[in-house]
Amino acid sequence: MAAQISNTDLPRHVHLPDFDPAGEGAEFIDDQAAIIRWLQAQNAAGCTFSATGESIRLLAMAGLLKEGPVVLPRRLVPWFRANHPQVRVEPFAPFIDQDGIATCGSVAGEASMLLRLIDRMIAPWVAHSVGAHLGVRTEPGPTGASDDIVTTAQVWIGRNSTADVRFSTLAANLGISQSTLTRRFREQLGMTPGTYLQKIRVDAAIQQLVHTRRPIGQIANIVGYDDIKSFRAVFRARTGSSPKQYRVAYGAEPPKPPS
């Protein structure tokens, strides 16, 4: 006999998505006092919480963040320093899930955060299934480096992999030279930061090729390449096949039968 699952068996969790406080949807937070009271009541009832972007401010106003840590969009950092200086802000992590509170600074990382929560609160296979439909990887974060500088750089590269990555900027943020960053990457991971970035982008492209029917040019743009020729060259160098060949062999576009 199959087990019966009631609502009381399921974890109670509240997710607050990002919103534009000056744009569409702002009317939903006109009565902030009522929202804060509701959040406090859910917390008293044993709920856990996750929030993205602007909604993290509501968790702070409800007194749920304590000392953090949290991941914030940059626009909120001054407000938190002025109003909640006890909350520790993590500048590099894509998201944080700790002590019943998960936070993410941007919509770009929201899916990964929610999949991690599904993995923990429901089941890994559910997270994997949902991630497959979304084209989002569900593997844990970067591993393999014992050097804190390299680990922090891995997180930063992963978080910014779809943008125009400047390793000189990354090195300056870490307080080291670019040559030192490259040397430490080679010592720890056996590759340069540039090669690591290529790996992140190709891995993301593989997920898109396998689990979606998006055009290859669109996938190239999504993972961080403006030039599809460069994307194809990097993809072939890392996988031994073109993106189209890879999709036909493993993904959403089955091989055509012989005529």
Side-chain angles (χ1 to χ4, degrees), residues 7-255:
N7 288 339
T8 57
D9 296 320
L10 298 175
R12 296 189 62 184
H13 184 84
V14 173
H15 175 65
L16 304 174
D18 194 12
F19 63 92
D20 181 356
E24 183 178 358
E27 65 273 11
F28 293 112
I29 62 159
D30 282 346
D31 191 354
Q32 288 188 346
I35 292 177
I36 290 169
R37 288 194 301 271
W38 184 83
L39 289 172
Q40 292 169 338
Q42 300 311 304
N43 182 58
C47 275
T48 56
F49 299 88
S50 57
T52 303
E54 192 70 31
S55 288
I56 302 171
R57 194 198 305 254
L58 296 174
L59 294 182
M61 295 168 69
L64 305 184
L65 294 182
K66 300 178 181 178
E67 296 181 358
V70 298
V71 177
L72 297 173
R74 292 179 183 175
R75 67 181 184 274
L76 289 186
V77 172
W79 185 88
F80 265 80
R81 286 176 177 168
N83 295 279
H84 299 276
Q86 80 283 2
V87 176
R88 179 165 62 88
V89 177
E90 171 55 58
F92 289 109
F95 62 85
I96 284 178
D97 175 20
Q98 185 170 316
D99 298 330
I101 302 287
T103 54
C104 177
S106 68
V107 175
E110 187 174 42
S112 295
M113 177 181 73
L114 294 177
L115 288 173
R116 183 70 62 86
L117 294 174
I118 292 171
D119 181 293
R120 176 168 60 79
M121 294 191 296
I122 303 178
W125 70 267
V126 177
H128 180 78
S129 178
V130 174
H133 283 289
L134 296 176
V136 178
R137 291 181 300 165
T138 56
E139 290 86 359
T143 58
S146 58
D147 185 328
D148 288 344
I149 289 288
V150 174
T151 300
T152 301
Q154 285 180 274
V155 171
W156 187 92
I157 292 170
R159 188 176 182 181
N160 295 277
S161 64
T162 61
D164 182 16
V165 174
R166 303 284 181 176
F167 294 114
S168 57
T169 300
L170 170 58
N173 289 340
L174 295 172
I176 59 176
S177 68
Q178 188 171 345
S179 61
T180 298
L181 176 65
T182 300
R183 174 178 58 80
R184 291 169 80 155
F185 251 78
R186 283 193 172 122
E187 290 173 352
Q188 291 286 308
L189 302 177
M191 67 181 77
T192 67
T195 301
Y196 182 77
L197 173 62
Q198 289 179 350
K199 178 182 181 302
I200 292 278
R201 287 175 169 174
V202 169
D203 286 350
I206 285 173
Q207 295 298 314
Q208 296 281 328
L209 289 167
V210 170
H211 299 300
T212 80
R213 293 185 179 275
R214 292 189 177 104
I216 290 173
Q218 183 181 2
I219 291 174
N221 289 332
I222 288 172
V223 303
Y225 288 95
D226 294 329
D227 179 6
I228 192 170
K229 290 183 179 179
S230 297
F231 168 66
R232 284 181 173 137
V234 171
F235 192 94
R236 183 179 289 278
R238 292 203 61 84
T239 67
S241 65
S242 71
K244 183 176 181 179
Q245 290 169 336
Y246 196 97
R247 168 173 273 173
V248 168
Y250 302 107
E253 184 176 298

